[in-house]
Amino acid sequence: MLRLLLLLFSVVTLAGSVIITQKQQVSIAQCPITYYTEKYTNVYTDVSNGRLMICFKGFYNPGKSNDCIQGPVIDKNQITFNIYQDNSLSSTIRQKLKLLTNDLKCYSYFSFLSEGRTTALKLYQFGTQTALGLQYSDYQQPGTGSTDYPRYAYTLVNNEQVHSVVASKAAVENYGDITGCRLNGFGMARNTVKSFPETCTTGSCSSAAVVTSTTCGDREYCDGKGSCKQRGLCTVTGPTVIDFRGQMNSVSDRCEYTLLQDQSTGFTLKANFLERRRRDVSFVDSVTLDFSQGADIQLLQGHRVLVGGSPVTLSGSVQTFNGVGLSKDQTGVTANISLGGASFSLFFDGTTAQIFIDVLAGHSYKGLCENSSSFSSSKLSSDSSCQQQYQEKVDNTVNCTAVTQQCNILKSPPFSSCNAVIDPQPYIAACTETLCKYPAVDGLRCQFLGAYAKACQKRQVNIENWETAAQCSSSTVMCPGRTCSDHEFCGQIDNSTATGCRCRAIFAAPYINSSSFGAPTVCQHNSASLTLVGCLLEQRGIDYSLLTLLDKTCKGQVDETTHLMTFNFTSDNCGTIVTTNNSQVIFTNAVTLKDKITRKDQAFIEFSCLYKKPEVNHVAFRIQDSPVVQTVVSGDWNHTVTMKAFADSMRTQMLDPSYQVQLNQKIWVELKSSGLDENLISTVTDSCWATNQPSSDSSQKYFLIQDGCANFDDQTVQVERNGDGTLNYFSFNMFKFTDESRDLYLHCKLQLCLKQEGNCIPPCSVQTKRRRRSAKYHQRDAAFLSMGWST
Ligand SMILES: *[C@@H]1O[C@H](CO)[C@@H](O)[C@H](O)[C@H]1NC(C)=O
Ligand SMILES: *[C@@H]1O[C@H](CO)[C@@H](O)[C@H](O)[C@H]1NC(C)=O
Ligand SMILES: *[C@@H]1O[C@H](CO)[C@@H](O)[C@H](O)[C@H]1NC(C)=O
Ligand SMILES: *[C@@H]1O[C@H](CO)[C@@H](O)[C@H](O)[C@H]1NC(C)=O
Ligand SMILES: *[C@@H]1O[C@H](CO)[C@@H](O)[C@H](O)[C@H]1NC(C)=O
Ligand SMILES: *[C@@H]1O[C@H](CO)[C@@H](O)[C@H](O)[C@H]1NC(C)=O
Ligand SMILES: *[C@@H]1O[C@H](CO)[C@@H](O)[C@H](O)[C@H]1NC(C)=O
Ligand SMILES: *[C@@H]1O[C@H](CO)[C@@H](O)[C@H](O)[C@H]1NC(C)=O
């Protein structure tokens, strides 16, 4: 009872007691406290699970970060609050809490009924230091089932418990020192140490409430499990990027990305990604070192290097370009770069790029190697085509369970000897993620294992004989002596170990869809050309250097850069078969494998050119304009017809408008076509007649040639050449119409005749005058030409 009296009366009140409800904001500005380094001048009383909550940043809300003291159970909606300016307990408390160095100044007092006992919770202010007191009375309130078990109070910082104070015996006040420190938002008691494994931070709060912390060094990163790992190793293999922090992510498009950018020097290391066998998986394809000044250095497929766009030949010894040491061995190309005091090296073998930072020199970098999640800020390509995503069918040959087992070998010997130095998990994840989607061909499985082994080697851990243990042959040289073009990549052919240039999936898709090996045949006049795509043939195991046309001596021409193969042929070479029907002329040829009968079905590509049959328009010209050259376009046949008259049989002395033709003088008329394939087509002079009017239909007509043959009644007419080529001529003696007309017009009808149909020469004989028209040529195909003479 004595102690209870002490509790109630031995104090000097500052403001006079107030009754507050469970939920109320109360000012403690007259006795502010420092609560784990935060100074508070208000409290917010509240109840949670029936227990009193005294919070400092606002009312208690379990979803909101707050600093609170969680008191004991509260019975009624009533708290007596007061602030006391009293230091009488100073030495009592400081005897219990040895770290308190200041004197007690004042305290805030909260009294309430807790399970039938009056309970007091006090916040003692010792200047910048703070103590929490808790006590319950030994007086049992009448009519309550009072209990005499301990009451607890807990301090919470950001909702996490730091201290607890227990009043274990009635009428005895217990104290806790709640001065403390804060680290990463967590509260800490004085003279304690706390570790944060996610960030590898360890902090200690000293007796003077000063916090000190240690975390990973400049050249280290935290593995999220409390260990600091060495920083500065970035692996890009296939679609995956394992950044300096060991975080793995995959590139899902075919764009160019920044791997590393040093803003202070302007240096950027870029990687371009492209698809291979599947349109939905991309692989690192080339790496570019872009200097703010000086030529770019590009490391390409097939261990090729371009400096400023020009190829350079590298050997085992280091050559310096633009301050970069470049060298090459059978495994790949290495570049050593020193910039602004930082130095690092880059290795690229066509499938894996690894960046090792030797000296950071305080530079900070951006890009996928710094943060493999930063795809959007690291993307360099602005065109949208590289971002297009494709849906591909799931590859049923992939057994994800088996693949995962194979990738997990990185946790077993001999790889496990490196596990402590380099976490195998991101490499296993890269391997599994890729190979569960993409077939384990083209050495892909070993590529992931090799990337881990190479990373270990850089950390001075040599994994002995990993190739043997993992059944990876280290000696396989991919595509020896070959340079695949931009639409190709070097890969396995069939299931064999042989490698060759295969088509990239997006390039090949339209050809595969149409089951073709190349572009449609291009037909022109009497020639045609066919272009085949080398990689489509190669990935089917066809050695395209052996391909020929039907005539085995006709080989294709291969473009060394694009690997496109072109076959040219005309109607009369390379074994071309020419057929015709009423409306069309068809050239047919085929590409076939030389001397490889067994594979003939695979490589036999038949193709045709279809042409409309010749059809010639009427043209007319007069001798006054002689010689006149006219272009005749008829369907596919574009040719020039010339009609000339000569005074001599050798056809050297041409009759021009000034020439005076004498009556009965013998003249020669030549009809010549050019632009036609003479091997295929002949011109036939079907008929020639004279009129005294410009119109060919005038009533006065005198025939010199009819149905391809000379007018038998006019002995002067001689058809000297007709139908065996594209040049025809005939002769006749000049005459005059009897009606005194001054002009004479000569009209000829020419027609084109396909030689393959048979003989185009009209069969004329003395006996058969007025022959029926030859079945081989037709009136409607005729060209109609006229020539006139003025007298
Ligand atoms: C690159 O630098 C590393 C470390 O400085 C060195 O071990 C390596 O031999 C160098 N390689 C070349 C090709 O310069
Ligand atoms: C990495 O980048 C992502 C996306 O930009 C970002 O959300 C994340 O916080 C970054 N991580 C680090 C460690 O900077
Ligand atoms: C996948 O591989 C696992 C382990 O090698 C094997 O047990 C399972 O039968 C395979 N599944 C199929 C569908 O082949
Ligand atoms: C390649 O292997 C697959 C599956 O093992 C098989 O179905 C296919 O016929 C093989 N192809 C060749 C050309 O051997
Ligand atoms: C294949 O060709 C057809 C018809 O030309 C077209 O409709 C289809 O979209 C094509 N498919 C692909 C995958 O290109
Ligand atoms: C084949 O024909 C194409 C198109 O007419 C031409 O460009 C090319 O030079 C020709 N090639 C050969 C080898 O004749
Ligand atoms: C001629 O060939 C074309 C193309 O092959 C075809 O459409 C047409 O029906 C053929 N005509 C005859 C009479 O065979
Ligand atoms: C016919 O040939 C001439 C001369 O070569 C050319 O100018 C013209 O465009 C050609 N016409 C057609 C329809 O091919």
Side-chain angles (χ1 to χ4, degrees), residues 316 318 325-327 334-336 343-345 358 458:
V318 179
L326 290 173
S327 64
T334 303
N336 269 10
S343 78
F344 53 98
S345 69
D358 293 313
K458 213 65 194 175

Side-chain angles (χ1 to χ4, degrees), residues 8 63 111 118 137 175 188 200 215 266 323 390 397 403 410 444 481 528 596 638 675 717 727 751:
L8 291 177
S111 163
T118 300
S137 137
Y175 306 101
M188 289 175 74
C200 300
T215 186
Y390 292 89
T397 66
V403 158
L410 288 181
L444 198 52
K596 281 209 176 172
N638 183 357
V717 180
L727 184 140
Q751 67 133 45

Side-chain angles (χ1 to χ4, degrees), residues 112-129:
F112 50 95
L113 206 56
S114 175
E115 295 181 279
R117 304 286 175 110
T118 300
T119 303
L121 188 152
K122 291 186 260 182
L123 297 173
Y124 295 99
Q125 193 230 77
F126 291 77
T128 55
Q129 300 167 339

Side-chain angles (χ1 to χ4, degrees), residues 460-476:
Q460 276 73 48
V461 182
N462 267 321
I463 302 173
E464 300 284 338
N465 296 323
W466 69 268
E467 290 97 341
T468 317
Q471 290 164 0
C472 293
S473 113
S474 58
S475 60
T476 316

Side-chain angles (χ1 to χ4, degrees), residues 60-126:
Y60 175 75
N61 174 351
K64 222 170 141 187
S65 165
N66 204 343
D67 289 351
C68 298
I69 295 169
Q70 185 182 33
V73 168
I74 181 165
D75 297 350
K76 286 189 189 164
N77 187 16
Q78 186 175 310
I79 304 157
T80 305
F81 167 76
N82 210 339
I83 291 175
Y84 297 93
Q85 205 78 48
D86 171 38
N87 61 4
S88 56
L89 283 171
S90 195
S91 57
T92 312
I93 300 173
R94 283 180 56 179
Q95 224 158 27
K96 293 254 171 67
L97 306 176
K98 301 279 192 218
L99 292 175
L100 294 174
T101 50
N102 304 332
D103 283 328
L104 177 62
K105 298 283 181 343
C106 56
Y107 60 92
S108 302
Y109 165 96
F110 301 85
S111 163
F112 50 95
L113 206 56
S114 175
E115 295 181 279
R117 304 286 175 110
T118 300
T119 303
L121 188 152
K122 291 186 260 182
L123 297 173
Y124 295 99
Q125 193 230 77
F126 291 77

Side-chain angles (χ1 to χ4, degrees), residues 522 524 527-530 555-557 566-569:
V522 176
Q524 270 183 332
S527 68
S529 82
L530 175 77
K555 293 184 179 176
Q557 295 238 321
T566 306
F567 290 96
N568 284 357
F569 62 94

